[in-house]
Amino acid sequence: MAVARRRVGTAALRTAQWAAAAVLGGTGLLGLLLFALGRAQAWQALGGGLVAAGASTVLGGALGFLFGVPRVRSGSGEPQGSYAPNTNLEQVSDWLTKVLLGVGLTQLGSLGERLHQLGTALAPVLGGGDAAVPFAAALVLYFLVLGFLAGWLVTRLALPRVLTETDEALDLFLAGQDRDRRGDKVGADDLRVRAMQQLGLLGGSAGQSDASAAQLPPTSGSPAGPEGVVAEVRSTAKRSALTADQVRALFADGTEGRRIQALALMQGDPSLADLTSLLDAIEHPRSGFEQYHALLAARGLLSRLSGAEAQRLRDAVAAQLVDPQGIPYGSDRSWLAEKILSRLPVTASVPAQPTASAPVQPTASAPVQPTASAPVQPTVVVPAQQAVAAGSDGPASSAQAPGEPNS
C-alpha cells in the first residue's frame, strides 16, 4: 500500500509540474500571438517573436544548467574501486557563476538602459514602432527567466539522480568483476544483472509477495528485502552444515520461501545443488523471482553437469525462452538464460541422413571398332588352257598357276 501511494503521489506531482510548465510557456506564447495579430505584418512579427523567445529560452536554460550542476561529495562517500567522477564541469560552472554574478552586479545600475537598447534592436523584427520596443524587451526577459528556471530545475532534480544511478551501476560492475576474479561466477552475474537493471537495460523479475518474503530467514546487517536475504544465505552456504539431501528436502517443502532459501544455498555451494529441483523451478516457477534464482543456481552448476544433464538443462531453458508465457524478452531472466545456453555444449545428436548411394553409371565401353582385316583378294581362277602344242599327243595333265614358268 505504501508503495502504491508513493507511486500515485509521484505521478500527481509530475502532472502538476508539467501543467505549471505548460501554463507559463503558454502565457508567453499567447501574448506573442495577440501582439502579432495587431501588427500590419502579423506573420513576420509572429515568426520573429518566436525566434527571439526560443533564443532567450535556450540562453536561460544554459545559465540554469551552470547554476544547477551538482557537486560530488567527498570523504566516506567516495565510489569504490579505481573510478572517481570528473569534476571539471563543476569547476567551470563555479567559475562562470562567479563571473556572471560579478558582471551582473557591476552592471545592475544600467540594467534598464540595457533592456531599452535590446528592445530597440529587436523592434524591427516585431514589425517596428514604439510599441514593439518594450514588448521585445519584455519578451526576451520573460523567456530568459523561464528558460533559466526550467534548466535549473531539470539539472537540479534529474541530473543528480542520473549521475547517482550511473555511479552505483559502475560500482556494481566493478564488484562483479572482483567476484569473477575470485571464482564466484554466480555472485558476479547477480551483480552484473543488478547493474544493468540500475541503468534500465534489463527488466526486473516479478516481485515477491510479503507472505513468501516472511518465510525467509532473518538477515543480519545485509540490505533489506528478499535480495538481501538471498545474498546473505548464499554467502553462508559453504559454511552451512546442511547436506545435499537436506537442501533437496527443503526445496520439496512446497512453500515459496523455503524453495528460495534452498536455491540460495545451491547458488552458494554447487555441491548442494540438485538438477531435478532446479529444472522444476525453471519449468514450473512459483514466481519470476524464484525462476531467476533457479537460473542463477544453474549458472553455477554448469561445470559439474554430464552430457545428458547438460542437454536436459538446455532443453528446459530453451523451452522457457520460446514459450510466450515463459521468460519475457529483455528481462534479467532472459539475459541469464541466454548466457547459460551459450555456456552449454551442443550435444544434441543430428538424425542420420539416409545414405544416398551413388547411381550406377552405365559403363561407357569403348565402341567396338570393326576389325579392319586385310582385304581378301579374290582368288582368280585361271581357266586351264588347253595347251595344244603342235605335235602334242594329248591335253596337259595339270593347270598351270599364273606366273609359273612352263616346264
Side-chain angles (χ1 to χ4, degrees):
M1 292 295 294
V3 176
R5 291 176 181 175
R6 191 181 303 113
R7 290 179 179 175
V8 172
T10 303
L13 178 61
R14 189 172 303 169
T15 302
Q17 292 173 350
W18 282 109
V23 169
L24 292 175
T27 301
L29 294 177
L30 180 61
L32 174 61
L33 177 62
L34 295 177
F35 178 82
L37 292 177
R39 312 300 294 176
Q41 298 178 348
W43 290 109
Q44 177 183 354
L46 181 60
L50 288 176
V51 172
S56 303
T57 305
V58 171
L59 179 59
L63 294 175
F65 173 79
L66 290 176
F67 278 81
V69 171
R71 296 179 178 275
V72 177
R73 294 178 181 177
S74 58
S76 59
E78 288 289 341
Q80 301 175 358
S82 59
Y83 166 78
N86 191 337
T87 60
N88 290 340
L89 184 59
E90 295 180 20
Q91 297 175 6
V92 172
S93 172
D94 190 27
W95 295 337
L96 288 178
T97 301
K98 294 176 180 178
V99 169
L100 290 174
L101 284 177
V103 173
L105 291 176
T106 58
Q107 301 295 325
L108 190 60
S110 59
L111 181 60
E113 182 182 355
R114 299 294 182 183
L115 287 176
H116 186 271
Q117 293 177 355
L118 178 62
T120 303
L122 293 178
V125 178
L126 297 175
D130 295 336
V133 175
F135 184 82
L139 183 70
V140 170
L141 187 61
Y142 181 88
F143 280 97
L144 183 67
V145 174
L146 182 62
F148 177 85
L149 291 177
W152 184 82
L153 287 174
V154 170
T155 306
R156 183 70 181 83
L157 299 177
L159 189 59
R161 183 175 68 251
V162 173
L163 294 177
T164 301
E165 292 176 354
T166 304
D167 289 340
E168 291 177 355
L170 186 55
D171 290 343
L172 290 172
F173 271 119
L174 293 175
Q177 290 179 356
D178 183 59
R179 291 199 181 186
D180 202 356
R181 285 192 296 266
R182 290 183 292 173
D184 185 6
K185 304 296 182 182
V186 174
D189 282 345
D190 189 25
L191 289 174
R192 292 188 183 106
V193 168
R194 289 167 55 190
M196 287 186 283
Q197 288 176 342
Q198 188 78 17
L199 296 175
L201 301 177
L202 289 179
S205 299
Q208 197 179 24
S209 61
D210 295 336
S212 61
Q215 298 169 1
L216 294 172
T219 61
S220 57
S222 62
E227 285 290 352
V229 177
V230 171
E232 183 171 351
V233 173
R234 181 171 61 229
S235 64
T236 59
K238 292 186 177 180
R239 302 191 302 269
S240 174
L242 296 176
T243 63
D245 293 336
Q246 291 174 331
V247 173
R248 188 183 307 111
L250 182 65
F251 181 86
D253 179 78
T255 60
E256 185 177 349
R258 297 296 180 87
R259 288 163 66 98
I260 295 295
Q261 186 179 356
L263 292 175
L265 290 170
M266 296 180 191
Q267 293 171 12
D269 188 358
S271 63
L272 302 177
D274 174 55
L275 181 61
T276 303
S277 301
L278 293 179
L279 293 178
D280 181 36
I282 292 174
E283 295 176 325
H284 309 289
R286 304 289 178 84
S287 64
F289 185 79
E290 178 183 304
Q291 189 180 46
Y292 168 77
H293 285 284
L295 291 169
L296 204 57
R299 166 70 179 90
L301 194 62
L302 296 182
S303 60
R304 297 171 173 262
L305 298 178
S306 63
E309 292 173 336
Q311 186 60 38
R312 290 175 59 194
L313 179 59
R314 169 180 285 275
D315 294 341
V317 173
Q320 288 296 307
L321 281 175
V322 300
D323 187 1
Q325 303 299 325
I327 298 176
Y329 177 77
S331 64
D332 50 0
R333 289 173 281 164
S334 69
W335 185 86
L336 270 179
E338 292 170 0
K339 190 165 187 177
I340 289 174
L341 292 180
S342 66
R343 296 292 193 276
L344 286 174
V346 181
T347 58
S349 59
V350 180
Q353 300 293 334
T355 305
S357 56
V360 180
Q361 299 291 337
T363 305
S365 56
V368 180
Q369 299 292 337
T371 306
S373 57
V376 180
Q377 298 293 335
T379 305
V380 181
V381 179
V382 179
Q385 296 181 358
Q386 198 80 21
V388 181
S392 171
D393 294 334
S397 57
S398 62
Q400 182 181 13
E404 182 180 353
N406 295 327
S407 54

